[in-house]
């Protein structure tokens, strides 16, 4: 009470506090996905700060003299050496590193699943298009964070990722070589790249992410939560539990539990054992080389794409260009613009605060399923060599099957999802509230 | 168990785990124990809080009106406030203001060019020149009879061990089986072949060799290259052959290059096929 008064007299916060504490949160498990992503980010910042204090972003060669016997006396980069030190000599260093890495994997996963929830329930519709776009930007930034972080240990595996990134960059017509040389500071491999990745990873990208999260949440607060229909929920109200105390407790609990799960994983499940991979060496690559899961789809696209170096008027379009630049460009472009594309297709420009069940909008559900399967197949293709070993067949066979599957599976899956949605709809029709003005018919059109 | 008990138990677990965590740390640390205890400490606290919220807080459903997000009246007032005649009337100055800001932005962006050199010739050339000996990782020159059939070996130009763009795989095949492209008949003394080790797809080192099918295999995206036919790609996303290094045996019996690779090495770029490289190199 005294504290509140002190602040209120200086800032006039009592009214805001009252409103904030009474803010209503609709209750649905799927609304926790975004929170999990946020909490992973909090944990990433906390563990990352610890790691930053010991990491050395430098590729000067040093002789390894630490306790890990197999590498003793070997020449490694200062960056790699510092990661080895974090893993073997800094107390609590290894657990922090592993929690950080697991948190990164879960972070991207949570962002992706959260985005899927938003997509399939139509939460991106007017007035929430802006927040959808910010969300897509956050997803891209999260991928950037993952990639730059993954590259910092300067081990054999991360070097391979950088090399491929360089090749994709250089493949861009006309400007590729300039872009690649500017980004890497010369022809791969370059000395300076580690310190550049470090600045991106610990300063620039997290700074932008924090600003974006701020905007994401501010817009959410301003527009208030969308909610599922049913009960007293309507387009003009929000039905749920007030922020204080229940929702606040649950959120804090979720933060702690997210931290708990990541701690268990970080302590008990080994990840990215850079001492096994060895330091980066331009003439060696480990096989089978697997990137972190969220890069798998890009890797898969590169693997599936046919040998196709086309030449237009003497200008070479190297084969990494289409899977490495064009496909992701189109994918993220479509994703960003989807709210507007859908509004154009349906002619629906109304405000929507009530969410759809996926079955309510078969065409969207079909398209979303197809897109999901497309990325899934690409991700699987990213491990075609692992699959070949698993099933004991030639890698070529796996690749050829997947080259067909990449078209067939999304198409069939999308149609199937469309079908199922319609069937579920007729089985259990949604009782539409009065405020819903538009209704879809079974073909996905409007009545 | 009563919810109160459950919450108290969870908090208790958390306290004990935190204390144990400190002890483990002081005693020297152990990643697995630390993860476990930290998980229990956080998890106990979290579980307690969640149980408290779900079992002990009895909250009614609350309903909040959304209210109007925007209104026509506010909009036109804002538009009016924006519409400052001293700004809108002087369109010439406004345009110049925008122009000046743009020019300034461009000038400020220029230092980004210091981030890297211009590519120039570097993508077209490697350190191989006529007369350079092929040396192994330890810097020792290589004789053709030291190259073993069925195995691959990485070599560099003499004095340039580690030069990434010059890395070359050396292997030996039966000279009678060779079907090299025209003009390369002399490039394989005693069946010894040198190919750029940098994959023409995305630049990974092509380090695996399937001796039975005479194919070099890139582990990154599984491109394969036929060494008998001048490094032609046979599978995978790579579309250009591995550049071949012209080699011969010098008078002391060591392998030497007779020039640079047959093509620019590594991943493709837009003007790779132009003669820009040759023009200025000669
Ligand atoms: S880098 Fe060799 S196949 Fe892609």
């Amino acid at each position: 009470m005294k504290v509140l008064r002190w602040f209120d007299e200086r800032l006039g916060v009592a009214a805001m506090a009252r409103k904030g504490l009474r803010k209503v949160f609709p209750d649905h498990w799927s609304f926790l996905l975004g929170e999990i992503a946020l909490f992973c980010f909090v944990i990433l910042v906390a563990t990352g700060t610890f790691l930053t204090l010991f990491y050395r972003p430098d590729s000067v060669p040093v002789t390894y003299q630490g306790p890990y016997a197999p590498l003793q006396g070997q020449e490694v980069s200062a960056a790699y050496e510092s990661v080895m030190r974090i893993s073997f000599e800094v107390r609590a260093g290894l657990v922090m590193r592993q929690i950080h890495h697991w948190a990164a994997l879960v972070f991207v996963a949570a962002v992706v699943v959260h985005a899927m929830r938003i997509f399939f329930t139509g939460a991106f519709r007017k007035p929430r298009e802006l927040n959808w776009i910010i969300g897509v930007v956050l997803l891209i930034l999260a991928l950037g964070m993952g990639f730059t972080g993954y590259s910092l240990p300067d081990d054999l595996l991360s070097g391979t990722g950088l090399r491929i990134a360089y090749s994709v960059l250089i493949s861009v017509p006309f400007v590729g070589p300039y872009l690649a040389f500017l980004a890497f500071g010369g022809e791969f491999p370059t000395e300076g790249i580690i310190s550049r990745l470090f600045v991106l990873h610990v300063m620039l990208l997290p700074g932008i992410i924090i600003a974006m999260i701020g905007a994401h949440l501010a817009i959410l607060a301003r527009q208030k939560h969308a909610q599922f229909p049913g009960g007293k929920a309507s387009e003009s109200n929000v039905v749920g539990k007030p922020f204080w105390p229940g929702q606040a407790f649950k959120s804090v609990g979720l933060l702690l539990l997210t931290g708990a799960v990541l701690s268990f994983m970080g302590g008990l499940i080994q990840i990215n054992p850079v001492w096994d991979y060895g330091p980066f060496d331009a003439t060696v690559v480990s096989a089978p080389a697997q990137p972190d899961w969220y890069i798998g789809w890009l890797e898969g696209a590169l693997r599936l794409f046919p040998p196709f170096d086309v030449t237009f008027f003497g200008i070479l379009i190297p084969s990494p260009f289409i899977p490495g630049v064009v496909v992701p460009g189109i994918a993220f472009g479509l994703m960003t613009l989807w709210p507007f594309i859908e509004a154009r297709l349906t002619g629906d420009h109304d405000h929507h605060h009530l969410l759809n069940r996926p079955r309510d909008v078969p065409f969207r559900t079909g398209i979303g399923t197809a897109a999901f399967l497309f990325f899934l197949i690409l991700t699987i293709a990213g491990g075609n060599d692992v699959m070949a070993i698993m099933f004991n067949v030639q890698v070529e066979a796996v690749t050829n099957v997947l080259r067909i599957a990449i078209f067939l599976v999304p198409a069939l899956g999308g149609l199937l999802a469309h079908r199922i949605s319609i069937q579920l709809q007729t089985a259990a029709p949604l009782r539409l509230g009065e405020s819903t003005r538009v209704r879809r018919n079974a073909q996905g059109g409007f009545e | 168990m009563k919810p109160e008990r459950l919450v108290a138990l969870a908090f208790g677990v958390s306290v004990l785990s935190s204390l144990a965590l400190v002890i483990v740390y002081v005693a020297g640390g152990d990643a697995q124990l630390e993860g476990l205890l930290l998980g229990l400490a956080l998890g106990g606290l979290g579980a307690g809080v969640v149980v408290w919220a779900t079992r002990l807080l009895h909250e009614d459903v609350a309903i909040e009106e959304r209210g109007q997000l925007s209104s026509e009246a506010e909009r036109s007032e804002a538009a009016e406030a924006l519409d400052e005649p001293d700004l809108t009337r002087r369109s010439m100055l406004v345009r110049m203001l925008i122009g000046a800001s743009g020019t300034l932005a461009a000038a400020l962006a220029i230092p980004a060019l210091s981030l890297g050199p211009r590519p120039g010739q570097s993508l077209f050339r490697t350190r191989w020149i006529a007369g350079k000996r092929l040396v192994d990782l330890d810097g020792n020159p290589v004789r053709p009879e030291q190259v073993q059939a069925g195995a691959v070996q990485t070599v560099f130009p003499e004095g340039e061990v580690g030069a990434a763009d010059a890395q070359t795989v050396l292997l030996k095949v039966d000279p009678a089986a060779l079907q090299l492209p025209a003009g390369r008949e002399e490039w394989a003394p005693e069946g010894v072949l040198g190919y750029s080790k940098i994959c023409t797809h995305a630049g990974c080192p092509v380090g695996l060799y399937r001796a039975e099918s005479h194919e070099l295999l890139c582990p990154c995206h599984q491109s394969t290259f036929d060494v008998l036919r001048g490094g032609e790609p046979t599978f995978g996303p790579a579309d250009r052959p591995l550049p071949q290094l012209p080699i011969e045996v010098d008078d002391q019996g060591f392998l030497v290059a007779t020039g640079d690779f047959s093509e620019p090495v590594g991943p493709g770029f837009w003007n790779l096929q132009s003669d820009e490289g040759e023009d200025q190199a000669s």
Side-chain angles (χ1 to χ4, degrees), chain B residues 199 201-204 218 220-223:
Chain B
C199 186
H201 177 233
C204 285
C218 176
C220 280
H221 315 105
Q222 292 85 38
S223 288

Side-chain angles (χ1 to χ4, degrees), chain A residues 24 91 163 167 174 189 196 222 224-225 235-238 240 245-246 249 282-283 285 303 307 309 316 318-319 384 395, chain B residues 25-26 32 39 49 59 62 64-66 69 115 122 164 167 197 201-203 219-220 222 236-240 268 270:
Chain A
V24 172
R91 249 184 231 187
R163 181 198 301 279
S167 304
F174 302 111
R196 290 183 184 188
R222 169 91 185 114
K224 303 204 171 85
H225 282 84
E235 287 285 1
S236 60
N237 67 9
V238 192
F249 266 52
T283 65
V285 65
R303 290 182 186 201
D309 280 13
L316 177 75
S319 59
N384 60 354
V395 146
Chain B
Y25 179 86
V26 171
Q32 295 180 10
V49 169
E59 288 178 307
E64 187 182 358
E65 288 305 312
R66 272 185 201 281
L69 202 56
L115 282 174
S122 52
Q167 51 181 309
K197 198 178 176 182
H201 177 233
C220 280
Q222 292 85 38
D239 197 24
R240 281 170 300 115
W270 66 282

Side-chain angles (χ1 to χ4, degrees), chain B residues 134 142-151 170-178 180 184-194 209 214 227-228 244-256:
Chain B
L134 281 58
V142 184
R143 293 176 183 279
E145 55 273 19
Q146 291 169 333
V147 184
Q148 282 167 15
L170 211 55
L171 40 86
K172 188 183 253 172
V173 296
D174 174 9
L178 280 174
L180 292 177
R184 298 194 193 169
E185 292 79 9
E186 305 297 314
W187 288 19
E190 303 178 30
V192 174
L193 293 161
Y209 183 50
H214 304 286
V227 299
L228 298 180
Q244 190 179 352
L245 187 71
I247 45 182
E248 63 179 16
V249 180
D250 70 5
D251 35 15
Q252 290 166 46
F254 292 114
L255 290 166
V256 294

